[in-house]
Every structure is written in C-alpha cells, then in structure tokens.
Amino acid sequence: MKSARIFALLIASTLAACVCGEDAYSAESSSSSPSPSPIEDNRPEFKPTELEAPFLEQFTNDWSTRWSSSEATKVTNDGGETFSYVGKWEVEEPTVYPGLKGDKGLVVKTVAAHHAISARFKTPLDNTNKALIVQYEVKLQNGLECGGAYLKLLTESDKGIQAVEFSDKTPYTIMFGPDRCGSTNKVHFIVRHKNPLTGDYEEKHLSGAPSAKISKISTLYTLIVNPDNTFEIKVNNETTKSGNLLTDFKPPFNPPKEIDDPKETKPTDWVDNPKIPDPDAKKPDDWDEDAPVDILDEDALQPEGWLTEEPLNVPDPEAKKPEDWDDEEDGDWVPPSIPNPKCEDAPGCGEWKRPMKRNPNYKGKWYPTEIDNPLYKGPWAPSKIPNPDFYEDLTPSNFEKIGAVGFELWTMQNDILFDNIYIGHSVEDAQKFAEETWGVKKKIEEEAEKKEQPIPEDDDTPVSLWEDPVKFLQQHVNEFLAIFFENPLEAIKTKPEVAGGLATVAIIFFSLLGLLFGLISPAKKISAPHKKTDAPTPDDKGADKGESVKDDGSEGDNEAETVTKRVAKKSKTPRIE
C-alpha cells in the first residue's frame, strides 16, 4: 500500500506539473498573502497574592533579599576542607509547560551536585496548640531519576540561623517532600524530636509514607498537622496519607513503659519444644529408603508412526558451499543442519526410549511420628521491668520553634522548580492560596502537555495551518489522493495548490536524482601514456619477484617513487606455454 501511494504521488505530481504549468506566471504575478501574525500568548499574567502568613514565598523580583545560598564546607579525609554546596540556584520562569506569564520559581541548575539555600522567617514560628500547614509546589522539568525535592523547616536557635553555614548538619524540626532514587519513591515526613530526659534528638519517620508524583506539571504538596496530633498529607489536593503522630511513626515518639529485664537469661533446662519424636516408633520392615523416585514405565508402547530410522536433524538441502571456501585450508565443507521435515507430522523421530513414571513403592526417608513433649514449658521470655528511659510526650505536635525554611538537596536532575511556599496555621488560607496559584497554572500546563501528545492516526479533526502545520498538510494531501485514485484530473482541479506543490516536489526530486546519477557514473579510463610496449621491462621483472623497485631518475616506465606488487595469499605454479 505504501509503494502504491508513492507511485500515485509521482503520477499526480507529473499530471499536476502539466495542468498547472499554464497558471505558473499568473501565480507568480499575483500579490502575496500577508504573513500571519505571531501566535498570541493568552496565558494570564502572574499577580502576587494578597494573602499573608508567617512565611509566604512566590519568588518575586526581590527574592534575593530573603534567600541566601550556603557556603558550607566539610572536612575531607586528609583533614582539609572542601566546598560542598557547589550547585547553582536561579529564579526564572519554567521552560517546560509554562503556566502564568511572568511567574518565576526557584530552580536547581546543576546536575549531580549538592545544593543548599535558605530563607529566615521574620519572626520564629511557634505552633504550640496551633495547626501547622506546610505547602509548596514542585515542578520536575526533567523528571526525577535520583534526587530529593523536599524542604526543611530549620530549628530556631539562640545564635539564629546562619544561612552561609546551612548544611546537612544544620538542626531541623521537620523535613517534608518528595524523594526518589532506585527503589525509593516517597514523600518524606520526618520530625526531629527532642528527648525531654536526656536532651538528645532522634529522627521520627512516618511509617508507610505515600509515593511521590513524578511529573513535569507542577505538583502541590501539602502537610497538615493538627493540635490533637493528627496529620494529613495531600498531593494535588488529594489526601494520600493520614494518621496520628503517636501511632504512625518509627521509632515512636514515646518509648514503652516497660522493657525486658536485661539481666535475665534463659535457663539451661528450659524446654520450649512443644513436640518430640515418638521414642517407641519403629521403622516398618518393608520400608525401603533406597527405592528410586521414578522407574521405567514397562507398560509404555512406542507410538504408532514413530520414525526410528529418521534423524532429528538433516543437512540443509538449500545450503550452498561458499565460493571462497578452500578445502585445503578450511577442510571439508559440511552444510548446516535443519530440523528434519519428516518429523513434523510424525509423533517422533530417532531412537524411541521408554519413559519414566512415578515409583509406587517410593516412600523416602523414614521419620518417627511426633508426640507432645511432656517436658514442654512454653516459650521463654524475660520478665518485664519499668523502663528507666520512659517519658511521655502527649503533644508531639507542639514542635520546636522554626526559624527558617531551606532546601538542602543532592540530585542527578537539574531544572527542578519550587514555587508558592506557604507555612502557617490556616488551612483555609493555604487552600485559597493553592486555588489562585497552582489551581490556575495546572490547567494551563495540562493543555500545553496535551498539545505535545502524538496525534492518533485516525484523528481527522480539521486543523488550521497555524495550529498544526504538519497535520494540516497531511490532511490536504490525503484528501487529494482520495480523489486522485478515482479521477486524477478532478483531483488536480479540486485541489490545485496541493497538485502544484506535489509537482514542484517531483521536479526537485527528479533533478536531484539525475544529478546523483551523474556524480556516481564511472569515469572513462585513460590509458597510461608511458606504456609503449608489452615487452618485459626492468621494473616488470622486479615486480614479478615481489620486490620494490626504486626509481633511479632515468627515463623509463617506472614513474612512481616506489612500486610494490601485492603477493597473493596462495601462490600458484605458473603455466608454461
């Protein structure tokens, strides 16, 4: 079908050239149509929100007055220091599926590098007996194969948050957001909790963390922690995980009240096997442990039609000995084998062998039956004692004061964009903020993504030249061919612009084809002017011996500086006539 379409196109092109030729001059002299105006960008303009919160960031033009990149170093093995956070940050509009016009975000710019940047709060955030809402957008413009896209809420300290020293060692209160590498794909929710007895800190990890959404469209991540210790994680405004701080974290926020007595050990005479072999059981006299599992089936018969004289494989009758095969050097040539065609319709070929069957007398190794152990005492466990490290924090939702927010990441992908960060206490304000930002841009980004999807082959919806030039031309050519197969002249009259275009393409094609043949045609050989006779000359004799003859500057047939005659792989005895 494809070759027929190409042949039809060539015929149509030739006819179109003839029919449309007389109109060429008028087409050239006609006034040209005005050039189309550029595609208008109808996206709405970005406008900063009027909402307020303890911390709210949209990365407007003054963003650098709030955010500072880290200059932290780390100690090397030899005791020196090296700059760790070399990853670059930029604030720019997205390049993949852009949403609102003029809407910028914080972008990770360096591949396979550590990045760290932070912004202080005007006033340290204290959520005691208040809800805490953390919400922000992540746009993975190059996807995410291995790397983090989470944020950290940094713990307020007496000396304050030192942005230039921000690193993985900087104390944080909450870590929240997506992370993916290898088999790991989760939305982290980690709380750094202080032991009220010892003052030590321990990370508490959410059990069964939800999966991160890997998408080039902006994804909204929301964390809500309520004063009653309940929490909720939303991805794109849909709840993906909910629970309670006191029951859904490992290790738990509160240690157990009792623990096993570490001083107790299992008594040596403690019997914890509920069953034992029956000491009175005996192996039956007819029990044969050496009997094989399978034996020959003596009742089996050779299937009727089995071709015992036919081999399973035969030489390929269509195989031919290669022309360059040399029996003396390569040995006797043997054609390759193929499955015997006579065996295809037969139950089998070759020697018939009796099959195996299960041995009815097989019993395997004998073991005595088991009986209840009369000395069984049950499973042993140490006694419980009060836990000396026990404490009870009934309100782990009252986090330590938060002084800043930061991104401290390592990633193999660049162009990860963060935007519209909300950290506060109002679920309603966070939702409203999401509606006027993420909610608006999500629709625009989804439409942009749809336009990049491949058009199905059966999609015949008419489009304009400016909407999709390729599809526009394809539809018109298909319509032209459909008419051409019925009536060629009618097709040319109905769609003269398509016919003219095809004719032009055909003329260019045949011109290039003729030029190509002209270039690859072999040039006529020119006889060597210096060869005057067929009689042997000194250089000929030298060549026959496979020697190199150097030109001594005298006149003769040897004009090259050095002439070497290649000796064949296998010399032949010259024939004497």
Side-chain angles (χ1 to χ4, degrees), residues 151-389:
L151 56 72
K152 291 181 177 180
L153 302 184
L154 307 184
T155 308
E156 178 66 11
S157 64
D158 294 337
K159 67 175 184 178
I161 304 298
Q162 306 299 318
V164 293
E165 299 176 4
F166 177 37
S167 70
D168 58 335
K169 307 298 182 184
T170 302
Y172 69 90
T173 300
I174 289 176
M175 188 174 103
F176 171 66
D179 186 18
R180 181 186 185 185
C181 195
S183 59
T184 299
N185 182 28
K186 63 172 66 174
V187 179
H188 285 296
F189 178 20
I190 304 173
V191 179
R192 189 169 165 272
H193 184 256
K194 183 178 181 180
N195 186 317
L197 296 181
T198 64
D200 296 333
Y201 286 86
E202 186 178 37
E203 290 184 350
K204 312 293 185 179
H205 292 248
L206 172 63
S207 301
S211 297
K213 185 175 180 61
I214 310 302
S215 173
K216 295 182 180 181
I217 292 178
S218 297
T219 301
L220 183 70
Y221 290 93
T222 307
L223 169 66
I224 302 172
V225 183
N226 298 304
D228 61 357
N229 296 317
T230 60
F231 69 88
E232 182 179 9
I233 294 177
K234 293 183 177 182
V235 179
N236 288 346
N237 271 341
E238 295 183 1
T239 301
T240 57
K241 182 74 175 181
S242 60
N244 194 294
L245 297 179
L246 295 174
T247 58
D248 295 294
F249 280 75
K250 292 183 180 179
F253 280 90
N254 295 314
K257 292 182 178 180
E258 294 183 327
I259 59 171
D260 295 337
D261 187 348
K263 297 180 180 179
E264 284 192 9
T265 57
K266 180 180 176 181
T268 56
D269 61 347
W270 189 276
V271 179
D272 52 8
N273 293 324
K275 297 284 185 180
I276 59 171
D278 186 354
D280 299 326
K282 294 183 180 180
K283 183 172 72 172
D285 295 335
D286 61 348
W287 192 286
D288 185 2
E289 290 185 343
D290 299 324
V293 178
D294 298 312
I295 59 174
L296 288 173
D297 186 358
E298 299 295 343
D299 298 327
L301 300 175
Q302 177 177 301
E304 185 178 353
W306 191 282
L307 306 178
T308 56
E309 302 300 325
E310 291 290 339
L312 292 175
N313 297 301
V314 295
D316 186 357
E318 298 182 359
K320 294 182 180 180
K321 180 179 179 180
E323 295 180 358
D324 59 350
W325 188 277
D326 191 326
D327 291 339
E328 294 182 7
E329 293 186 358
D330 303 324
D332 294 335
W333 179 77
V334 179
S337 297
I338 62 172
N340 191 343
K342 294 181 180 180
C343 300
E344 293 181 359
D345 299 326
C349 288
E351 180 185 358
W352 180 79
K353 295 182 179 180
R354 193 177 300 280
M356 304 292 286
K357 70 173 184 179
R358 184 75 176 185
N359 184 0
N361 297 321
Y362 171 75
K363 295 182 178 179
K365 186 174 179 61
W366 180 83
Y367 294 97
T369 57
E370 290 192 336
I371 61 172
D372 292 335
N373 188 351
L375 302 178
Y376 176 65
K377 295 183 178 181
W380 181 85
S383 302
K384 295 290 185 180
I385 62 172
N387 184 358
D389 298 325

Side-chain angles (χ1 to χ4, degrees), residues 540-553:
D540 293 334
K541 293 177 181 179
D544 289 339
K545 294 179 181 179
E547 300 174 350
S548 296
V549 182
K550 188 172 182 181
D551 186 10
D552 58 2

Side-chain angles (χ1 to χ4, degrees), residues 124-140:
L125 185 148
D126 184 359
N127 77 308
T128 301
N129 299 325
K130 298 178 184 177
L132 175 65
I133 294 87
V134 182
Q135 180 174 279
Y136 72 112
E137 297 173 15
V138 179
K139 186 177 179 66
L140 306 172

Side-chain angles (χ1 to χ4, degrees), residues 440-549:
V440 177
K441 71 168 66 174
K442 178 174 180 290
K443 298 176 182 178
I444 301 171
E445 293 177 8
E446 287 177 340
E447 288 297 322
E449 185 183 41
K450 287 179 182 179
K451 290 181 180 179
E452 287 195 4
Q453 298 296 327
I455 300 174
E457 293 184 0
D458 56 352
D459 185 6
D460 294 329
T461 305
V463 297
S464 67
L465 177 61
W466 312 119
E467 290 178 335
D468 192 336
V470 175
K471 185 177 179 182
F472 175 82
L473 295 175
Q474 182 182 6
Q475 287 179 343
H476 280 263
V477 170
N478 288 340
E479 292 173 4
F480 173 80
L481 291 176
I483 303 173
F484 178 82
F485 283 125
E486 299 292 334
N487 190 331
L489 294 177
E490 182 65 24
I492 295 172
K493 292 179 180 180
T494 304
K495 291 189 171 291
E497 68 284 356
V498 178
L502 294 176
T504 304
V505 171
I507 292 171
I508 295 173
F509 172 76
F510 283 116
S511 299
L512 293 176
L513 194 62
L515 179 61
L516 179 62
F517 278 118
L519 291 174
I520 65 176
S521 297
K524 184 178 180 182
K525 277 191 173 182
I526 302 175
S527 300
H530 59 278
K531 201 70 173 178
K532 305 297 182 182
T533 176
D534 290 331
T537 60
D539 59 323
D540 293 334
K541 293 177 181 179
D544 289 339
K545 294 179 181 179
E547 300 174 350
S548 296
V549 182

